[in-house]
Amino acid sequence: MTRDEPPVEDEAVASSARNARPSRWRMLRRDRAAAVGAVVLTAVALVAVLGPLFINDRAQRQDLDASLRAPSLSDGVYGLLGTDVLGRSMVARLIEAAGTTLSVAVPAVLCSLAIGSGIGLWAGYHGGRRESVAMRIADVILSFPSLLIAVVVLYVFQPSALNLVLILAVTRIPVYLRTARAEAAELRSRLFVDAARTFGTPSRMIIYRHILPIALPTLLTVATLDFCFVMLTESSLSFLGIGIQPPDVSWGLMVAQGRQYLQTAWWITVLPGLAIVLTTVSATVLAAWARIATDPAQRWRLTLPSKRRPAQAAVPPETTP
């Protein structure tokens, strides 16, 4: 063996370590609930993005002769889930409403995630007066219920999707600001951060290269849970009549429009409500899985067979005989 060639033992150890470390995809497949949640969310996203390309104007096309027609297989694909009071296809309206609901929830979560995380990491790393000012601003925003702020603002100004995104993004900024501040405040005293500071690395590069990659899994888990809250808030505001306005349609607006026909045409209200429940529950389950999968101290739980997880949930596998 020459001096330039790595030892065979080192290669074997490295190879066994790589094989012993499970991939995220493998851990997701082992958790059936999280896998189902991921499939549901993927299906909802695909329907929201690609669905409008196939339905054209069927979500707004009226046919009074087909008013309140029950779900049936005899009317084709667009009659599979019935029609509303104006004879519009529930399948087409659910597809269009999925795009509207996600077009409000996703931008609101991304905007609040980017702004709140940036301010929180900056304030947590520098500390002192900057941290105090950022936290007091977050406390002021959190002192008002987000739903109440949205109701007041949308009542004063014109209800629209843009205003809805802006108000939801502003009210959710403190959630990410406080989380990012706590992560940065804990990481700024670590040895690798002190080493980067000693070598003269600028503060913004330390935050971007060293602190953000460690805090990002936690922030993404919070964002997944916050997506449920934002979507439910949008549905609530649309149900109250100050969210999405006709002729646009969202799941919350569909529930509001069909509540007076609940006894005669249950599908108008139940189907969009079921879509809201499935999406939020799937996101919640996936967020719980992501929290464990991104934590090195808890990741071993997902590598156990599903039958052994409840019995050995408290002891890592390497400590068991």
Side-chain angles (χ1 to χ4, degrees):
M1 180 182 298
T2 62
R3 182 175 300 178
D4 296 335
E5 294 179 356
V8 178
E9 293 81 359
D10 294 345
E11 291 184 355
V13 171
S15 177
S16 61
R18 287 192 299 267
N19 295 332
R21 185 182 304 165
S23 63
R24 299 279 175 84
W25 175 250
R26 187 180 304 172
M27 289 188 295
L28 180 60
R29 287 188 302 174
R30 290 194 175 197
D31 194 324
R32 296 180 180 178
V36 172
V39 170
V40 171
L41 290 180
T42 303
V44 171
L46 291 177
V47 167
V49 175
L50 302 178
L53 301 177
F54 298 96
I55 63 175
N56 297 324
D57 63 338
R58 289 183 179 273
Q60 305 297 335
R61 188 183 303 175
Q62 301 179 10
D63 184 7
L64 297 180
D65 294 333
S67 176
L68 299 180
R69 184 171 294 174
S72 174
L73 297 175
S74 60
D75 296 330
V77 176
Y78 293 103
L80 187 63
L81 300 180
T83 60
D84 64 357
V85 66
L86 297 178
R88 295 172 294 191
S89 171
M90 287 295 296
V91 172
R93 289 181 66 78
L94 284 172
I95 292 175
E96 184 171 338
T100 304
T101 300
L102 293 187
S103 67
V104 172
V106 173
V109 170
L110 292 179
C111 290
S112 57
L113 172 63
I115 298 174
S117 300
I119 297 176
L121 292 174
W122 171 79
Y125 175 78
H126 291 285
R129 183 177 300 177
R130 305 174 189 179
E131 183 178 10
S132 300
V133 171
M135 293 305 296
R136 298 296 79 77
I137 294 175
D139 292 339
V140 169
I141 298 176
L142 287 175
S143 62
F144 297 94
S146 56
L147 185 60
L148 179 60
I149 296 177
V151 169
V152 173
V153 173
L154 293 174
Y155 181 80
V156 174
F157 298 96
Q158 180 181 2
S160 64
L162 179 59
N163 291 337
L164 197 57
V165 170
L166 292 177
I167 190 62
L168 290 177
V170 171
T171 56
R172 304 310 296 171
I173 284 177
V175 176
Y176 304 97
L177 193 154
R178 294 164 67 95
T179 304
R181 197 278 312 173
E183 292 285 336
E186 193 274 331
L187 293 172
R188 68 186 177 190
S189 59
R190 294 288 185 88
L191 184 60
F192 61 90
V193 176
D194 291 337
R197 194 184 299 114
T198 302
F199 282 102
T201 307
S203 299
R204 63 180 183 276
M205 297 306 299
I206 295 178
I207 296 174
Y208 178 75
R209 291 183 178 179
H210 301 288
I211 297 180
L212 178 60
I214 299 177
L216 189 58
T218 301
L219 293 172
L220 292 180
T221 303
V222 174
T224 307
L225 290 173
D226 198 47
F227 168 79
C228 304
F229 178 85
V230 171
M231 193 178 72
L232 290 175
T233 303
E234 181 277 324
S235 300
S236 302
L237 294 172
S238 298
F239 182 84
L240 295 174
I242 55 177
I244 301 298
Q245 301 295 310
D248 295 332
V249 60
S250 69
W251 286 336
L253 182 60
M254 292 179 66
V255 174
Q257 291 175 343
R259 66 183 185 274
Q260 56 184 334
Y261 305 101
L262 190 58
Q263 294 183 349
T264 58
W266 56 267
W267 54 89
I268 302 178
T269 300
V270 172
L271 292 179
L274 186 61
I276 295 173
V277 171
L278 286 177
T279 305
T280 53
V281 170
S282 299
T284 303
V285 172
L286 191 61
W289 172 86
R291 180 182 60 83
I292 299 176
T294 55
D295 187 356
Q298 302 293 330
R299 192 178 301 158
W300 62 270
R301 299 173 183 265
L302 300 177
T303 62
L304 294 176
S306 57
K307 295 182 179 179
R308 296 177 57 192
R309 287 178 196 171
Q312 299 186 5
V315 183
E318 59 269 14
T319 61
T320 58

